[in-house]
Amino acid sequence: MILGALLDLGLPLEQLRAELAKLPLAGYRLEARRVDRSGIRAVKLEVVVGGEGDHGHHHHRGLRDILHLLEASALAPNLKSRAAALFRRLAEVEAAVHGTTPEEVHFHEVGAVDSIVDIVGSVIGLDWLRADRVVASPLNLGTGTVTMSHGVFSVPPPATARLVQGVPVYGAGEGELLTPTGALIITSCASAYGPLPLMRPLSIGYGAGSREAAGRPNVLRMMVGEEGGGEGQERVLVLETAIDDMSPQLCGPVSDRLLAAGALDVCFTSVQMKKGRPGLQVTVVARPQDRERLEEVLFTETTTLGVRRLEWDRTALEREPISVVTAYGAIGVKIGRRGGRVYNAQPEFADCERAAVAHGVPVKEVWAAALAAYRMRG
């Protein structure tokens, strides 16, 4: 389904075939066709092994076998390394499930030719896409049971359950809706999960699954677009937590560590909490992809037991740092622009403070001199 969606987005089938032909892997062919899934036109890609409709035998390959296959290929080095990283991760998951080591794992379903083509092909297709960032919706695992080489398992099967650890998931619809292969690929390329980010869609692709699903189209949708909704428009993540049992002396170090971890802004607000206790609300504005790192700082550096989060759209001025020359030396000035117009110009306070100490004058005099020097620039 991932490859079908990429083909629908424009990945040339012949280019995919040519890249996969660089693997020393024979006995299969790729077939792609347009299909209808609940009224939606989608691309169905099949890896046909052996005769027509025959998906071949599930050869048991070990991690060493697959890594050797990749190393012996003529694929570009970056594609080899990404594919190898996926198989190593899967081997670690399988080893944890079966109580063995990654080197001793023998892949079953993933050892088959069609699954190797799925994984390596997805690496090739995602490299073709050249996306700066991949965001996924929460992953629907499905419900019920699934039959695998080891027997019948509850959905999600053990490997899938481990692959989606730390990822937002839910279960709806009958049957297995996320395979270990799909979980491996998506969780390895997505940097965030949640609602559709603020973007201008440029193209949409649909990859079809094998079966018709009751009540919903069995398709994977990929949307490609430019992040943001216009000049200065962007989506930001807001993290909040209220604390009433932490020393205020820790606020400075907490703020420093959050900013060092990528926060765009940090502020503390006095709040009244339960039982009449005074407290602090910590608010962090950040990029959505930095959520886990910033939550780790909050849990490590504060006494909070939970963090709320939501995403906001915001309009931000384009910021440009410049330097002006004053009687007290060079002072930085931060300019805020939009559409070529300057809305704000503010001297950097830290520069003003250092210059004031060095020259024995009030900070406000240095600040005024820097602003005057900026205005004299014309």
Side-chain angles (χ1 to χ4, degrees), residues 327-346:
Y328 309 106
I331 304 294
V333 176
K334 185 183 297 179
I335 298 173
R337 300 179 185 271
R338 185 182 184 189
R341 174 184 169 187
V342 175
Y343 284 80
N344 288 302
Q346 291 291 334

Side-chain angles (χ1 to χ4, degrees), residues 116-195:
I116 293 174
V117 172
D118 283 342
I119 293 174
V120 179
S122 295
V123 169
I124 293 167
L126 291 167
D127 182 73
W128 167 85
L129 192 60
R130 291 285 193 267
D132 293 322
R133 190 161 78 100
V134 176
V135 177
S137 64
L139 304 179
N140 187 359
L141 306 179
T143 62
T145 61
V146 59
T147 301
M148 305 179 71
S149 58
H150 287 292
V152 179
F153 293 87
S154 296
V155 171
T160 302
R162 285 185 175 271
L163 286 165
V164 298
Q165 283 184 317
V167 170
V169 299
Y170 65 102
E174 183 61 31
E176 181 189 26
L177 299 183
L178 181 66
T179 65
T181 302
L184 174 70
I185 296 167
I186 293 174
T187 58
S188 296
C189 70
S191 61
Y193 301 84

Side-chain angles (χ1 to χ4, degrees), residues 57-61 66 107-116:
H57 301 290
H58 282 197
H59 304 290
H60 293 187
R61 289 183 171 87
I66 295 178
F107 298 115
H108 302 292
E109 281 77 6
V110 178
V113 169
D114 50 353
S115 293
I116 293 174

Side-chain angles (χ1 to χ4, degrees), residues 4 7 13 17 30-35 43-46:
L7 290 169
L13 179 58
R17 284 173 172 154
L30 296 183
E31 292 184 356
R33 67 183 191 279
R34 299 280 179 184
V35 298
V43 173
K44 178 71 176 74
L45 180 74
E46 290 186 287

